Amino acid sequence: MTRTPAALLATTLLVAALPLVPADGQLRPRPAPAMATPADPAMVPPEVAAVPVALLVDLGSGQVLYAKEPDRRFVPASITKVMTLYVAFELLSRGQLRPDQVFRMSEGAYRQWHAVGSTMFIDRDHPVTVHDLLMGIANVSANDGCVVLAEGAAGSVPNWLALMNAEARRLGMKDSHFGTPNGWMDEGQTFVSAHDLAVLAQAMITRHPDLYHAYIGHPTMTWNGITQRNHDPILGKLEGADGIKTGFTNQAGYGFLGSAERQSRRLVMVIGGAYTPKDRAGAAEALMNWGFAAFDSRTLFPAGAVVGTAQVQDGEARSLPLVASGAISAASPRGTRAPVQLRIVYDGPLEAPVRKGDIVAQLEITVGGQAPHRVPLAAGADVPRAGLLARLRNGVLGLFT
C-alpha cells in the first residue's frame, strides 16, 4: 500500500466558530519564540532586567508570553538533571526500569563523586532504590545519584548520555547537548537554550504527569538519616509552584527551570545566567506572577477531549481519535480576546501498531497575530497491526476514498 504523503494530513479545525486557516500540511519544527512579548513590554516586571535569559510559556497553548534571548545557548549546570529525570521517566513508562529496582555505587563512581557538590552521600556499594535516586536527583540535586542511576540503568555513564542526547533529538531540542548526567562542569560540552528547556518541561509534564507529581517539587528529602531541603526559589513561596530544578556553577551562574499551576492553567519559566541567587529568585517570582495576572486564558479543549482524527496505515482501524494530553487553552493579554486559529498536524498516515496515549500529532494554535505554537495530541485508542485480510480490505477501501 502506498504511503500517503504527509502533506495530505494537516487538518483545519472548527471550534466554537473560531476562524480557520488554510492547511498546507507541512510538519515543521516548533517555531522559535519571538524576542518581543505579546503584551505591552512596559508591563513586564523590572526584576527580569537583571537576568540575561528569560522565557515564560503558557503550557496549555504553547504560547510564549515573554522571551529574552530564548535561543541563546548557555550552561545549565544542575538543570541538566531534568533530562536525566526525563530519561528515567521514559524507561519507567516502558517497563524498562522499576522504582523498587536496587543499584549500588561502583568503586569508580565513589572515588569520583562521593560528597562532590550537591549529594545524597551514597557510600560505596550502598544499596539504593531507583525511587530514592529519583527523589534525590529531583529535590536535593544529587550528583552522585545521577551517576549511580546512569551506571545502573544503562551500564555506563556514556551509555546514559547517549540516551539523553537521543531524547533531546527526538524532542527537537536543536540547541542542546549533554556531556554529563548531572551538569557538573565539563568545559562547555553541556549546553541548552531556554526554548529547549521549555520543550523538555512540556514533554515531562504532559507525557508523565503522575511521575512529575510523584517526584518533583518536594520541599525536603530524607535518605539514610540525612534530611536536606530543596533550593527551588519559588516552591512554597508562590501560589501553585511545584518545581522543577535549579542550577548553579561559577561558570553557569544561577539558573532555574520552574513551573506553577493555578486553576488548571500551567506556566513554565526559564531563567538563565543570573548573577546572584537573589536576582534569580526575584525574576522567577515576579515573572511567574506577572504571567498569571497579565493574561486571560480560555479553555479550548479539556484534558482527554477528542480534538480530531488521524489516518492509520496497516492497522485494524483506518483512523483513530486524537485527544488532548492536557487542557488546551489560548491566552490573550487581560481584557482582550484575540481570534484563534487551529490546525492538526502530524506525519502520517500513522503506522500501526499505535498505543493509546502515544503522542502522535500536534495541535497548532495561532492567537491573533502571534507566531503559531504547538501542543501535543495523543492517540485516543489502541490500533493493533492488521492481519493480511484486513490489510487487503483497507487497501481496497483506500481506492475509493
Side-chain angles (χ1 to χ4, degrees), residues 245-329:
K245 190 73 193 70
T246 58
F248 167 74
T249 63
N250 289 329
Q251 179 187 21
Y254 294 86
F256 181 45
L257 172 60
S259 186
E261 186 176 31
R262 297 179 189 174
Q263 298 178 339
S264 299
R265 182 184 175 208
R266 181 172 288 279
L267 303 184
V268 166
M269 172 193 52
V270 182
I271 300 293
Y275 299 109
T276 69
K278 183 178 179 181
D279 287 344
R280 174 180 64 186
E285 185 172 357
L287 188 59
M288 192 69 83
N289 277 328
W290 172 80
F292 282 112
F295 294 84
D296 288 321
S297 181
R298 47 186 154 142
T299 299
L300 304 177
F301 300 95
V306 175
V307 178
T309 60
Q311 297 175 26
V312 180
Q313 180 171 292
D314 293 337
E316 289 188 356
R318 300 184 65 216
S319 65
L320 58 75
L322 297 171
V323 301
S325 299
I328 298 176
S329 59

Side-chain angles (χ1 to χ4, degrees), residues 107-401:
E107 182 64 30
Y110 178 85
R111 288 197 303 267
Q112 185 175 1
W113 292 107
H114 179 67
V116 174
S118 303
T119 180
M120 286 175 65
F121 301 100
I122 305 173
D123 208 343
R124 56 167 59 85
D125 203 36
H126 191 128
V128 55
T129 64
V130 167
H131 170 80
D132 287 335
L133 289 170
L134 295 178
M135 288 291 290
I137 294 166
N139 299 290
V140 300
S141 200
N143 289 323
D144 50 356
C146 291
V147 176
V148 172
L149 178 65
E151 291 185 342
S156 70
V157 169
N159 288 348
W160 186 262
L161 293 175
L163 294 177
M164 293 174 71
N165 286 305
E167 288 296 340
R169 289 191 298 272
R170 189 179 66 81
L171 293 173
M173 298 171 63
K174 61 183 178 64
D175 291 307
S176 297
H177 182 268
F178 299 98
T180 168
N182 55 23
W184 195 256
M185 293 167 286
D186 62 359
E187 299 181 349
Q189 293 181 61
T190 299
F191 54 85
V192 295
S193 69
H195 172 250
D196 283 357
L197 287 179
V199 168
L200 175 59
Q202 181 187 50
M204 172 180 277
I205 293 167
T206 58
R207 285 180 60 82
H208 306 293
D210 293 340
L211 293 170
Y212 177 85
H213 289 295
Y215 289 107
I216 305 296
H218 294 264
T220 62
M221 186 225 176
T222 300
W223 184 77
N224 200 27
I226 301 172
T227 298
Q228 300 182 70
R229 68 182 183 88
N230 193 326
H231 293 286
D232 185 309
I234 62 174
L235 191 64
K237 301 175 183 177
L238 183 141
E239 179 189 351
D242 58 10
I244 303 174
K245 190 73 193 70
T246 58
F248 167 74
T249 63
N250 289 329
Q251 179 187 21
Y254 294 86
F256 181 45
L257 172 60
S259 186
E261 186 176 31
R262 297 179 189 174
Q263 298 178 339
S264 299
R265 182 184 175 208
R266 181 172 288 279
L267 303 184
V268 166
M269 172 193 52
V270 182
I271 300 293
Y275 299 109
T276 69
K278 183 178 179 181
D279 287 344
R280 174 180 64 186
E285 185 172 357
L287 188 59
M288 192 69 83
N289 277 328
W290 172 80
F292 282 112
F295 294 84
D296 288 321
S297 181
R298 47 186 154 142
T299 299
L300 304 177
F301 300 95
V306 175
V307 178
T309 60
Q311 297 175 26
V312 180
Q313 180 171 292
D314 293 337
E316 289 188 356
R318 300 184 65 216
S319 65
L320 58 75
L322 297 171
V323 301
S325 299
I328 298 176
S329 59
S332 300
R334 190 169 293 279
T336 68
R337 195 170 179 83
V340 177
Q341 300 171 336
L342 304 176
R343 188 175 64 142
I344 291 173
V345 186
Y346 64 105
D347 185 11
L350 307 175
E351 287 198 34
V354 182
R355 294 182 306 170
K356 182 178 180 179
D358 284 349
I359 302 301
V360 294
Q362 294 177 309
L363 180 63
E364 186 176 271
I365 305 171
T366 304
V367 181
Q370 297 180 37
H373 296 89
R374 292 178 178 178
V375 294
L377 297 175
D382 290 321
V383 179
R385 184 171 174 80
L388 178 60
L389 290 177
R391 291 202 303 273
L392 289 172
R393 177 202 65 203
N394 290 340
V396 171
L397 289 173
L399 297 174
F400 298 97
T401 59

